[in-house]
Amino acid sequence: MRRRITRSRAGILCAVLVMATFVGFQLTSLTGRDSPDSKNYLSYALRLSGESRASATAQAIDYTCIDEGDRPLVRECVRKLTASTAYWTRHGNTSGMTGPFLNSRFMAIYEARPGYPLLLVPFIAVFGLVLGVWLAGVTVALAGSLFVLATLRAAGANWAAALCGQILYLTLPTGAIAMLPMADGLTLACTAAVALGCTLTLNGERRTAGTALVTGGLLVAFLARYSQALLLAGALAAAFAGLARYRKRRNRPPRPALDLFVLCGGLAVAMQLTTYVLGWPSGYDSAQDLLTHHYQRPDVPDPWPRFLTAEGTFWSAWTDHQLKEPLLLITLALAACSTLRRPTYLGLLAAATAAGGVLNQAGHPNLDMLAGQRLIVLVWFLPVLTIPLLLTARPGRN
């Protein structure tokens, strides 16, 4: 007797097919995704794995230079980075979990981000550095896509819409950035988990699970990239405060939104206090980092006027760049159409998450990051979570 394929089983099979296709495309390159920051995280992970600082630094350098192609170019890359680490060691960077790739003050930024290196440790221990880093990227990318799919399903979207959200997450810059050997992929997966938790809480189903997802997602994101987690928690708290007030004025129960406001706001305060107590780099340090070329020049006595000037210059150039490469603007326009067609709390949640990405980029108005999407990547949650709603039935007047 043939087993009947239900919609749920078909949806699950399609989700597995989407993930398998993504993994197949990623197999074309196990390396070549690293950025200048990747070696900082990798050396941290290798130190956690038991390697000496010298060995962890050397292995991180080898990973960085592996894609230079010709053997002479690889040797030259290794020579330059090795000479650089020797220079910074002579100039005071003699301790810490990360390699001495720059001065100690700059490397303190990465010393305060243990989340992604901790994630890498078991992958490196079992599969080695190259394959382990790649598998960690695949894991967080697929996890994020599943959280997006589950969020849309929990919000009432049909399977077609939920699968569309999963595909958008993996094909838009969120998927590519999740595969980078950096903390951003883990942060994206945590953000998607937080979105699912908020959705479960707002629709009144499985509130305990929803609260656990929000709390766990924000705390893990805090360990991975504390500044982004703090901004996300603050943006969500503001959104839920507005939603609670709106529902109260309409004589509707404000409780779920109010609970999330208290939770996210409380976590934001706890994060801020933790960073202060631990002495982790703050917004002031970020401004000095920008204006002193990673603290290689003397501090600016009053950095804020110059920082605000850099802010205006960056966003003007960013707008020009988006007009020339309008993928983000197009997807945001579609997201706006979807939200206006079907206003739901999912649109508010996506907008708050996107605001966290904009605030993160605003804290780093570096023109060198103009073409990249990494710092502002959370803004892509707006199209990922709202465009799929175009595939759902138009709601009735009520």
Side-chain angles (χ1 to χ4, degrees), residues 1-48:
M1 183 176 180
R2 295 182 62 182
R3 195 172 189 179
R4 186 182 172 210
I5 299 179
T6 63
R7 288 186 179 181
S8 295
R9 288 174 183 165
I12 292 171
L13 289 173
C14 289
V16 172
L17 180 60
V18 168
M19 292 189 292
T21 303
F22 176 80
V23 173
F25 279 113
Q26 301 309 315
L27 279 170
T28 58
S29 178
L30 297 182
T31 58
R33 309 171 196 269
D34 57 295
S35 79
D37 295 339
S38 297
K39 56 185 179 292
N40 305 327
Y41 292 107
L42 298 185
S43 62
Y44 197 150
L46 289 164
R47 290 278 282 137
L48 290 172

Side-chain angles (χ1 to χ4, degrees), residues 134-393:
W134 180 85
L135 284 172
V138 168
T139 299
V140 294
L142 296 183
S145 76
L146 289 175
F147 282 131
V148 166
L149 184 145
T151 299
L152 287 163
R153 288 291 292 156
N158 57 36
W159 271 104
L163 288 167
C164 175
Q166 183 189 30
I167 292 170
L168 285 174
Y169 181 86
L170 293 174
T171 55
L172 288 174
T174 41
I177 290 172
M179 287 297 300
L180 296 177
M182 300 177 70
D184 303 271
L186 179 57
T187 305
L188 283 168
C190 290
T191 302
V194 170
L196 174 58
C198 291
T199 303
L200 292 175
T201 303
L202 286 172
N203 66 16
E205 298 178 3
R206 297 187 292 276
R207 289 188 182 181
T208 301
T211 300
L213 280 169
V214 173
T215 304
L218 285 174
L219 290 180
V220 174
F222 178 73
L223 292 175
R225 192 181 175 91
Y226 62 93
S227 58
Q228 179 66 89
L230 175 59
L231 293 172
L232 176 61
L236 289 172
F240 293 133
L243 179 59
R245 180 175 175 80
Y246 172 83
R247 292 177 66 87
K248 186 175 181 180
R249 292 179 63 181
R250 295 296 187 278
N251 295 318
R252 297 167 65 185
R255 181 66 185 276
L258 191 59
D259 289 344
L260 284 171
F261 160 69
V262 173
L263 177 60
C264 294
L267 286 172
V269 172
M271 290 176 189
Q272 182 60 48
L273 289 175
T274 301
T275 58
Y276 176 78
V277 170
L278 295 178
W280 287 354
S282 62
Y284 176 84
D285 296 292
S286 180
Q288 292 289 2
D289 173 45
L290 174 69
L291 300 176
T292 61
H293 191 60
H294 304 317
Y295 312 116
Q296 296 183 67
R297 296 192 290 263
D299 279 10
V300 178
D302 183 13
W304 300 117
R306 288 180 58 185
F307 184 82
L308 291 175
T309 300
E311 200 79 61
T313 302
F314 174 83
W315 288 109
S316 176
W318 184 86
T319 302
D320 290 340
H321 179 76
Q322 297 305 317
L323 291 173
K324 294 175 183 176
E325 298 182 14
L327 176 62
L328 177 58
L329 297 181
I330 292 171
T331 56
L332 289 179
L334 289 172
C337 291
S338 176
T339 304
L340 292 173
R341 174 180 178 269
R342 183 171 183 172
T344 66
Y345 58 77
L346 192 58
L348 175 67
L349 174 61
T353 303
V358 173
L359 290 172
N360 187 52
Q361 180 68 79
H364 306 80
N366 189 340
L367 289 175
D368 292 337
M369 304 295 293
L370 190 64
Q373 300 282 350
R374 187 170 62 82
L375 294 180
I376 202 173
V377 66
L378 293 192
V379 79
W380 290 95
F381 270 85
L382 190 54
V384 165
L385 291 178
T386 58
I387 288 179
L389 298 181
L390 292 171
L391 299 178
T392 62

